[in-house]
Amino acid sequence: MSLSETNGGSAVPTDPELQPTSPTGTERPLTPQRSHLEVPTDPKLQATPSKVTNTTLRNFKDNAQYRIVGQEEMVSSTYQEDLEKWFSKWLPGNGGEELGFDPKDLPEEFQNKPFNFNTIQFNPSDKSNYTEKELYSLLCPVIQNVFDLVAYRSAADPSYDALQIKDTSAWSEASDCAQCPDLSVHKASAAQAFHLDDDSKANVAAARKPFVGRTAYSWTLLPGEVKVDKSQEGFGLNEDELDLPDTKNACGTRGQVAEYIIEVLSRQHRRFTFAFYIYRNFARFLVVDRVAAVMTPPFDYVKDPKTFLKFFYRLARADAPAQGYDPTVALASPASITMLKEHMARDHGSIETLIHDAMNDAILYGTSSIWPFYTVEVHDNESDEKSYFLIGKPQTPCPSMFGRATKGFIAFDLAQHNFVWLKDSWRLASEHYHPEWEVYRKLHEKNVENIATMRCGGDVHGPKLQCTLTQESITDCRLKSRIHCRLVLNEVGRPLKTHQTSCDLIFIVACAFKAHSQAWRKAKVLHRDVSDNNIMITETIVDGEVTLTGILIDWDLCKYREQLKVRVATNENRSGTWQFISALRLQYPMKFYELADDVESFVHVINWCALRYHQHSLLGMPKSLSAYVNDMFFDCTASPEGLLYGCLTKWRAMAGDGIGFKIRHDKALKKVINKLVRVCHSHYRSLNLDELQKFQPASVREAQEQKKAQAQTVSDSSFPPRLNFRAALPDSALDEESDDDDADDDDEGESDDDNESDSSDSQPDSRRRGRPKLAKHKYVHEILADALQRDDWNPEPKPLDRDHFAKLLDLNFTVGRRTVTGTKDMTSSQRKRPGPTHSSRKKRKTGASQKTAHAVSGEHTSSAQLDALPEEDDAVASLEELAQVGTDLAAHSEEDAD
C-alpha cells in the first residue's frame, strides 16, 4: 500500500482495492482525488436541527474551556507579519491571480459577476448600519465567484475539487459541539456534510439562503469569523504591531476564533490551518500550526478587494499539502473497514467498550461528517519500514492550538490484524528532548517492567520531514520548532479512572511506580510527566483467569540522569500536567527538576482519584469541593516574567497542614493516603527555604524583599512563607485527620499509627527537621507494599460512571493560565479555602469547619444518588494477588539504590 499526494483535499491510497465506498454499502463511482471528502447521504446526517438542542451540545464546561484556553493562547502566541511577506510564505501562488478580477480579464461567463464590495458602505459611527447576517449575504457571493472562477480555469483537470463557502453561523453539526463558525470554506465533494433541508432554511432571508449550511468541522478547510459591533472587535486595527484589546467582549471574540481552529485541528489530520477574520470593512488572514498563530495586519477589503480575493484565489489553486493537509493520512478503504468489522466481532475483554466507542461512529455513518475512518502511515525510524493503521475517533483529543497536541487512538493494525494504541503528537525539535521511541528501546534494553511494548515509531515524513513553520516568521527566540511524530504501542489499556475498587487503584499506581523506579535505577531515565492519564490498566487472560497490571506510558518529556545533573535555575517551560506537578515546582518554577518531584506526583494522582471517584468528607458540599479542587489542583498565576506558579493550598498540604478531606468507608485507602502525606511532610521539613528563594521569579523576590524591609510578614505573599514552619508545627500536625464523632465514620475505634513519629521527629519542635523522603523511591514503595497486604479495603466496586467532579460547575480547567472560574469572576485568593491552617486545626478536628461550610453552601448532593449508577462488570484483582505484588514491592524497595 502507498499513499500519494493529490490536490483534491488530502492524500489517498493509490491501490484500486483501497477506493472508498458510500456508507450505506452501495458502490458509486468516485474519483480517487475526491474520495477524501466524499460524504454519505444518510438521512440521519441530513436531518440537521434548525436550532441547537441539548442533544447536540458538548458539555458547556468544555465549550468554556476551549474558549478560555484558546483566547489565552491567542494572547501569548499570536504574531503579526507584513502582508506581502505573509502571502509569499504561506500562499505564494502559481500564476493566474495576477490577471486581476476586472471584467476585461475575466472569461465571458464571469464578466457580469461582482468581484468587489462596492455595495458595502459602513457609516463612521460606533453603531453599525449592517448586521452580521446582512454582511454574510454580501461576502459569500463574491468569495464564491472567486472559487467558481478557479474551477472554470481548472476544468481541464478532472481531479480538481472546487471550493465552496457556506454561512454556518446558526446551524450546529449533529454531534457534541454547538459552536458554529460564521463562515466555512469546504471542498465541493463534501457538500453533503454541510447540507440543510428546506425546513431548516424556511425562515432564512432570500439573499442569504443559497449559502447557508450546517457546521461540519471534520470537512471544513478553514473557518471565518465576522463582527460588526465595535465592542466585539478582537484583534485591534493597528497596522504596525499587534495590539490586542483587553475587554471582555474582545477576549470572547478571540476565544471564538480559537475554538473554531481547535475544532478543525482536533477533528482533522492537519499540519496547519488557515482562518480569516472580518471586522466591518477590515480583514485579517491568519495561519496556525502547533507553535504559534501568524496574522496579517488589518486592511480595508472594500477599498482593496484584490488583496482580499487573492487569498481565496490562491487557496483554491493550492494542492492539499499547501492547504495544510497531512499527506500521510487517507480515507480508509472499504476493504479495510470490512476487515475491522470482522475483527470487532471477537471478544476483546474490558477494552471492548473503548473499541466500540472509537469505531462505532464511523461504522454507523460510514464516511461521516463527524469521525470518519482514516488510514494512517507510520514510519519506523529504526527499521525504515512503513506500517499502516486504521483509526477513527480519538480517545484523547487535544483541546489546544499549540504545544505537543497529543492525540491518542485505538488503531487497527492492517498488517497484523489486531488492535494497538497509536499516539500522534508534535515533539520539540531539541537535543534536550528524547524521541519517545528511543526511550522505549532504552527501557526495554534495561528490562524495565510495567511499561508498554512498542510496535513502531518515528517522525512523520510526507515526503519530507513534517515540521512547524510559524516560528520562522517570528523573531521570538523562545519559540522552537516542533516535529510531527507517531508512536504505536501493542497494548491498549483502560484509563486509570476505570479502576473498580480502591485496592485496584493503589495496585495499579504501585505497578506504575515500580516501572518509574526501575526506569530511574536501571536505565537512568526520569519520566517528568506522572499523571492519571499516563497510568493505564492492562489485562491478560490465561485459561479464563484475568490478571490486571498497571503500566506507565507517555515518556516523551523524560530526561536522562546526566541531563539532570545540571542543577541550575532555568526559565524553560514547566514540564508535566499542572494538577500533578509537585508543590515545590509550582511555587518555585525556576527550580531544577528532581526525582522527588516525580515521586510526589504519584501522591497527587492518588489524592486526585480518591477525591474524584471515592467516598470522602467533602461529598454533599459541591461548593466546598469545587473550591478545594480549584485551589489544590488548578490555581495558577502568571508573573510579569511570564513564569507560571500557583496552588498554594497544595504547598500547605505537603508542608504540614494536611489535605483538606477525609476518606470515608475505606480504612485501607485512608491509611495509605495519610502515610503518603506524612512522607511529604517529612520531605518538606527538610527543605532549606532560603536556598529556594533564587528559584522564584525575580519580581516576586523583589516584592518579598520590599515587604521584609517594611517589617511586613512574608506570609502575605502568594509564595510559601519564609518563616521556619518546622519549629511551629506541633507533633499532632503530622496526623492528617483524627477520628471524629460522625456516625458514618467506619474508622471508629481504630488506632491511628500515623501518629507515630519517625526518629527524626522525636526531638523537640524547635530543632525538629524532616528527612528528604521523596528523594528516593524506597519510602513510597514500602507504604504501597504494606497497603496492598491489608485486608480492610472497601470491597464494593465503585459505579462505572461515578465522577464527583462532573457535578461541579465552576472547576477551573484553564491549566497553566490565569485563574478563571466558570461561574464566578473571582480569583482563588478570594475564595474561602476549605484546606486547614494552623489556627483552624483544633476546629477541624471536631468537624465544625466542615459543617459550617456545608451550611454556607446551601447545597446538598446525595451520595446515594451517585452510588445508584450501574456497576461495572469487569475483572477485579484478588486480594491474594495484590498481596503478592505488595510482597514483591517490599522486596524491591530493599534493593532501591537511588
Side-chain angles (χ1 to χ4, degrees), residues 210-238:
F211 298 97
V212 294
R214 73 182 179 96
T215 300
Y217 282 114
S218 293
W219 311 97
T220 297
L221 175 56
L222 75 157
E225 180 67 13
V226 178
K227 295 294 182 187
V228 296
D229 190 330
K230 185 177 181 179
S231 67
Q232 294 181 327
E233 207 295 288
F235 295 93
L237 298 176
N238 192 332

Side-chain angles (χ1 to χ4, degrees), residues 238-257:
N238 192 332
E239 297 182 11
D240 298 323
E241 61 181 4
L242 192 62
D243 185 14
L244 300 178
D246 199 25
T247 65
K248 180 179 179 179
N249 286 342
C251 292
T253 296
R254 292 193 294 272
Q256 280 183 281
V257 175

Side-chain angles (χ1 to χ4, degrees), residues 728-753:
L729 286 177
D731 287 338
S732 60
L734 295 177
D735 181 15
E736 184 275 323
E737 293 276 357
S738 60
D739 293 335
D740 54 35
D741 298 326
D742 290 348
D744 63 346
D745 193 333
D746 58 3
D747 285 334
E748 185 175 353
E750 177 180 333
S751 62
D752 195 345
D753 56 13

Side-chain angles (χ1 to χ4, degrees), residues 392-406:
K393 177 183 177 181
Q395 297 300 287
T396 55
C398 176
S400 175
M401 289 187 291
F402 310 127
R404 288 185 291 165
T406 301

Side-chain angles (χ1 to χ4, degrees), residues 442 519-526 559-562:
K442 182 181 181 73
W520 179 249
R521 291 187 305 107
K522 296 180 178 180
K524 298 178 173 57
V525 174
L526 189 63
K559 284 196 174 181
Y560 297 163
R561 185 178 293 189
E562 55 266 23

